[in-house]
Structure formats: structure tokens, C-alpha cells
Amino acid sequence: MAATFRRRLQRGAASTAVAALVLAALTASQAPGATGSAVAKRRPAPPPADVPIDGGSAYYTDLPPLKSPVPPHGSPHTGKDPATGRGPAEAGLPATVLAAYKKAATTIDGSDPGCRLPWQLLAGIGKVESGQARGGAVDAEGTTLRPILGPQLNGHGFARITDTDAGRFDGDLTHDRAVGPMQFIPSTWSNGGPDGTGWGADGNGDGKKDPHNVFDAALAAGRYLCAGDRDLTAQDDLDRAILGYNHSDEYLRTVLSWYAFYRNGTHEVPDGKGVLPVHRDAGRSGDDSGGPSEGKRHHGRGPGAEPGKSPRPGGSDKPGKPGKPSKPGKGQQHDPGTPGRPDDTRPTPGGTQPPSQKPTPSPEPAHPTALVRVGDKDLTATAGSEFATPLQVRAQDDRGKAVAGVPVRFTLPPTTDARFPGDATTVTVTTDKDGLATAPTLRAGDRTGDFRIRVGTVRQTAPAVEVGATVKAKPAPKADKLARTSDKELTATAGKAFAEDAVEIKATYQGELAAGVAVTATMVTNDPQRPVENDKGPYFKDPEATGRDGDKPVRTLTGLTTDANGLLKLPKIYTDAHSGTFLLRLTTADGAVLTVKLKVAAAAGS
């Protein structure tokens, strides 16, 4: 298997120049403004070859070990560590990073099955570009703990790209830098796509496109690799896709090496425990401010290496014999595409153990197979109040045992205005020692009705569950008593109006001020047994009527509401030509009643 693989790479190296010319021709024909068959492609074409995805930035040149994760055909050698029963440490992929690659491949397979994107190709590129996000140094959402930044793209050994994102992604206000675990340049992420919107993607469903998030970056990389109607099971399409990411023969061979290695088998390791590569692309050192600073090395006599010395783990250089390549150590191999080049010297996993010792295996992270709702009732709250029952689920394995340390995401649908603290619609909580994930307090908005809350594991190892919730309308404010705030007699002359805001009332319920109480005001006849609306005497004007209708008498007003202090000032009261004592009756839905006397004196000379 290994020998066959090396021969394949040598044949690929011989045809790389042709592939590069084909790629340049294809991408030039698909540039903006192209017509004909290029427009008819079902997937957009990538940018021109002279602007690769990563801007031609430096990359890790470490190669896979000679040991395969699974034995070659017909060989009794397993290539596995007898202490752990697993393949070599380099075959271990950080859990969240691995989940991101698989999720991206599954998503693209659903939308573009003709591409046949293998997740191992994303893993190969992720290894070369960022060392699998620095060995899986990401949070529960998949965002890198520290920004991974490539060198400044100032034209010195790399593409020249002046700042396009105002430092939003890379913090550089003069030039762009490749960013994130898949090393996208900001101009390509934001606006380098064929439709002008960029290749950025939302791979974790949080509503954001963040190149520093491995789920987003992996999906964007996958879509780019599939661009131009590619079928990645065809070698030519595969080579063109990789060369479009970084237009370098060495880059192509390195990615293909890791791709084949990962296809032979991988295993999962905890986040932050992945093997860190150390060798960078010679001649493209850059500053790689986001990479592992202790791991920057170069092949042979690259920048910083003294003649006659080769870099060694731990930073100590031991003199060697000039012109004589060292023998490969255990777990190393020659670069098949560069015959005669000195072998890479790699540190043991973690960079601290001598080669004779086996690394201490990291415990496999437990994965839940189910999320179980705690409590059998849907959540209920009134509008504007907090849900009293906590939103809680339990993560458990296939034996029903609780699983701790699992990131669980709670997501609210767009149909509700309920919110978590900070006006958040999505929150992530890690399960405790009992496997419980409890969402922060949820507050209902003003929108009433039913909705469903989706709860799932960030790494999607267990089926998501939904929890029902209902927001009910606030009960109408109550008032059991209405009273005037003044005992001053209310008088006016026929044909004139009462004083502005002459009638002010106060509503209370069980002795407390009652805010928001609806009050109806009606001018009624003086009939103690059955008062009805009066058709003469004092009246209101319709505040919404205009023209002649604006002067039309209105003797019943609805929709009046007490303020926060339980007070209500009635609109201005007018009178017609009738004089005498009239009654204004104020009522609430709860039966509170107040009758106010309005005295109207006859006009002079009537």
C-alpha cells in the first residue's frame, strides 16, 4: 500500500505543471464576465489561480508517518500502538474539528452529491493549513481559542493584498492575512465568491459566518473545493481543487499525502490533544502570529538554520554531517515528491517525550447517544415574564449512563420573541457530573402562542430533541375601586366647555394603585334604575375624527387606560345648549363604578 502510494505521488508530481496550466485556463475562462458554458455550470467557479484561497501563505510541510492507521493489504503488521490499540498519534483528530469536517461533507453531499467530497480531504487541508486548528484548540462552538493568522500578504514571498476587511477578521489595517483553521483570506471569505458575496458559510447554524470557527470554515472550504462542477473522485478535478487552495506543487503533494493517510483510518482525540506539526514551508516563514510559536521550524537550511545543522525537537540543534541526509526516524518518511531531500525530524506527540517512550494515551471522550428531556410538561409563562420551570435535558450513553462535559446547544425559533439573557436566541451549556444541561433563565416576550425549543449536542452525536413552550397573554389589570382625585364641583356654561382635564380619576385594586386598567366613560341619563346613554347635554369629541365629523358629539368613550400610577385624565368635555345636572358614569370590566355630576348653567339671555 505504501509503495503504491509513493508511486502515485511521483506520477502526480510529473503532471502537476500540466494541471496548473489547465487550472489557470479554466479559472480564466470563468472569471467575471465570462459567457457560454461557464455560466451554465451548476456550481460557481473559484477565483483566478493567481489569488488562491489562502493567499499563497506558508503552510505546514510535515508528512504522515510510514505506519498506516490500518495495515497494508496482506501484511500482518497493524501499525497500531499495542498499548492503546489505535493507530499512530498523527491519525488522531480533535473531536470538534473532526465533527466539523464530517458535518461539512454531509451538508455538501446533500446539496451537491455530484462533488463526492470526502471529509478526509478537508482533514488533509486542515492539517497543512493550521495543524487541525492547533491540535483542536477550539471552544465548544468550534471557534479557535486564539486567532490563527497567516503572514502579512504584502507581496514579499506571498500575494500582495491590501486590507479589504478594515481589520475585522485579521486585525491588520494595511494588508490582509489568511485567517482561521482553514486559512481563508478576508477578501475571499467576504466578497471573493462568484456572486460577490464571498465563500463564507454558516456551518454551525448560529446565524454567523466566522472564518475563525471550524464548522463555518470547513463548510466554506468544502464548497470552494466543489466549485466549477468538480467531481473529486476524478484525479484531475481533485488536483485542480487543491491547487486552487494554494497554487504550489509541494502543497499539492503534501495535502494528498495526508488525504491518503486519513483515508486509511483515523481515531478521535479530545480537543487540544491533537499532534502539532512543526515544519513550515521554507522560504515562506512569515510571522504566522496565530500558529504554535514553539513549533515553527523549516526544512534543511531554511531561515534561522545554521549550515551543517538540522532543526531538532525542543529547539536544540545537534551538528550533523553536511550534504548527508539523516536516516528517517521511527514514524517518519521521505517526501516522495522531492528525492534526496533530508528527512523531517519530528517531535514526539506533545514535544516533550524522548523518541524511545510511547506517549501516554489520552482518554477517549465519552459521547452521548441520547438527550432526554427532564420534566414531562411544556414550559409556560405569561408575556413579559420569566419561565418558572428550568429548561433542562440529560445526556446519556446507550446504557443509560449520564455523560458529563457534553456541550449542549439550546436554540429558539424565529417565531418567538422569547430570549435568553443578553437577548440571545442560542446558548450552549456543558453537562455537569450528572449529565444535566440546564439552560439559563428564559424570558417570554410580548408575542403570545406556542413554539418549540430545539436542543442538540454541538458535535451532533445524539439526536436533537424539542421542548414545547407557551406564552400566554397577561391577565387584564383589575380595579375594584374608582375615585376622583379632587372633590371640586364640576361646572360649565351651556355652549362652553369644562376646564381642561377637569375630570381625573384613580383606580385601585385591593387598596393598591392599578395600572393599565381599561375604563369606559359614558354620559348617562339620570335614571337610578336603568341609566342609558344620554342624547343631550355634555359630550366628548372623537379624537380620531376630522372635518365635520370632528365636531360630532360622542357620549361614550372606550379604550381609556390608567397610567403607571393608576391615574386617568379624561379628554376635554364640551356642552350643547342644554342646561341642568348631568351624569358621567365611569366603569371597568371588573365592575368598579364611579358616577360624576356635571352641572351646566344656562347661557346668559337664554
Side-chain angles (χ1 to χ4, degrees), residues 1-2 5-6 8-10 60-65 67-69 90 120-121 123-125 127-128 235 238-239 242 249-264 333-338 341 346:
M1 182 84 176
F5 172 57
R6 285 196 290 274
R8 186 183 301 123
L9 281 182
Q10 289 165 349
Y60 286 107
T61 58
D62 296 56
L63 293 170
K67 290 191 304 180
S68 299
E90 289 85 350
Q120 293 91 341
L121 177 59
I125 291 176
K127 178 71 173 183
V128 170
Q235 189 65 46
L238 178 63
D239 289 351
I242 298 172
D249 297 350
E250 175 75 7
Y251 182 88
L252 172 64
R253 291 192 291 270
T254 307
V255 170
L256 287 174
S257 297
W258 284 105
Y259 170 44
F261 178 74
Y262 289 139
R263 287 187 68 183
N264 280 333
Q333 70 178 37
H334 288 286
D335 181 349
T338 313
R341 191 188 70 188
R346 296 176 178 79

Side-chain angles (χ1 to χ4, degrees), residues 300 309-312 318-329 332-334 340-346:
K309 293 184 179 182
S310 60
R312 297 182 63 81
K318 189 174 182 179
K321 295 181 180 181
K324 184 177 181 180
S326 59
K327 294 181 179 180
Q332 302 171 1
Q333 70 178 37
H334 288 286
R341 191 188 70 188
D343 295 292
D344 299 341
T345 303
R346 296 176 178 79

Side-chain angles (χ1 to χ4, degrees), residues 217-499:
L219 180 58
R223 288 176 175 171
Y224 178 84
L225 293 168
C226 287
D229 202 26
R230 293 191 183 111
D231 177 357
L232 297 181
T233 60
Q235 189 65 46
D236 287 346
D237 278 1
L238 178 63
D239 289 351
R240 281 195 292 268
I242 298 172
L243 285 169
Y245 215 102
N246 187 309
H247 202 70
S248 159
D249 297 350
E250 175 75 7
Y251 182 88
L252 172 64
R253 291 192 291 270
T254 307
V255 170
L256 287 174
S257 297
W258 284 105
Y259 170 44
F261 178 74
Y262 289 139
R263 287 187 68 183
N264 280 333
T266 61
H267 59 269
E268 183 180 297
V269 298
D271 289 342
K273 299 297 184 180
V275 174
L276 292 176
V278 295
H279 296 91
R280 303 291 292 184
D281 180 21
R284 293 188 174 189
S285 58
D287 59 4
D288 191 23
S289 57
S293 59
E294 74 281 1
K296 294 181 185 177
R297 300 285 189 274
H298 296 279
H299 289 301
R301 299 182 183 183
E306 298 180 20
K309 293 184 179 182
S310 60
R312 297 182 63 81
S316 73
D317 294 331
K318 189 174 182 179
K321 295 181 180 181
K324 184 177 181 180
S326 59
K327 294 181 179 180
K330 186 177 181 180
Q332 302 171 1
Q333 70 178 37
H334 288 286
D335 181 349
T338 313
R341 191 188 70 188
D343 295 292
D344 299 341
T345 303
R346 296 176 178 79
T348 56
T352 59
Q353 297 172 323
S356 61
Q357 296 181 2
K358 294 185 181 299
T360 302
S362 300
E364 280 286 340
H367 293 306
T369 57
L371 290 178
V372 180
R373 165 87 163 91
V374 177
D376 56 358
K377 294 183 179 179
D378 287 349
L379 308 180
T380 303
T382 57
S385 67
E386 295 180 348
F387 286 83
T389 304
L391 176 54
Q392 194 174 61
V393 297
R394 181 176 184 267
Q396 61 186 40
D397 59 20
D398 51 8
R399 295 175 297 175
K401 184 178 179 180
V403 182
V406 177
V408 176
R409 179 181 292 124
F410 299 83
T411 304
L412 299 173
T415 55
T416 181
D417 57 356
R419 292 293 183 267
F420 294 112
D423 202 34
T425 58
T426 300
V427 294
T428 300
V429 178
T430 302
T431 57
D432 61 18
K433 61 182 180 62
D434 297 317
L436 296 177
T438 305
T441 302
L442 179 63
R443 174 173 287 275
D446 295 328
R447 193 179 303 170
T448 60
D450 300 330
F451 62 93
R452 309 287 292 179
I453 305 169
R454 189 177 187 275
V455 188
T457 58
V458 171
R459 297 170 189 167
Q460 301 185 353
T461 57
V465 297
E466 289 190 344
V467 179
T470 301
V471 178
K472 298 180 178 180
K474 292 181 180 179
K478 295 181 178 181
D480 54 15
K481 184 177 181 181
L482 297 175
R484 284 187 62 197
T485 59
S486 171
D487 57 1
K488 184 178 179 180
E489 188 177 61
L490 300 173
T491 61
T493 302
K496 305 291 183 179
F498 286 84

Side-chain angles (χ1 to χ4, degrees), residues 160-170 172-177 185-192:
R160 173 177 168 78
I161 305 176
T162 56
D163 179 55
T164 62
D165 66 335
R168 175 188 175 192
F169 295 125
D170 57 14
D172 194 323
L173 297 177
T174 60
H175 294 82
D176 274 352
R177 296 169 182 259
I185 51 177
S187 54
T188 301
W189 182 268
S190 298
N191 52 29

Side-chain angles (χ1 to χ4, degrees), residues 93-112 117-123 140-142 201-208 213-223 226 268 409 411 454 456-462 464:
L93 294 175
T96 299
V97 177
L98 176 59
Y101 295 152
K102 290 184 176 181
K103 186 175 189 297
T106 299
T107 300
I108 292 174
D109 185 60
S111 61
D112 188 7
L117 170 69
W119 66 261
Q120 293 91 341
L121 177 59
L122 295 174
E141 301 290 335
D202 177 14
N204 61 354
D206 63 357
K208 297 182 293 185
N213 182 279
V214 69
F215 286 94
D216 295 357
L219 180 58
R223 288 176 175 171
C226 287
E268 183 180 297
R409 179 181 292 124
T411 304
R454 189 177 187 275
T457 58
V458 171
R459 297 170 189 167
Q460 301 185 353
T461 57

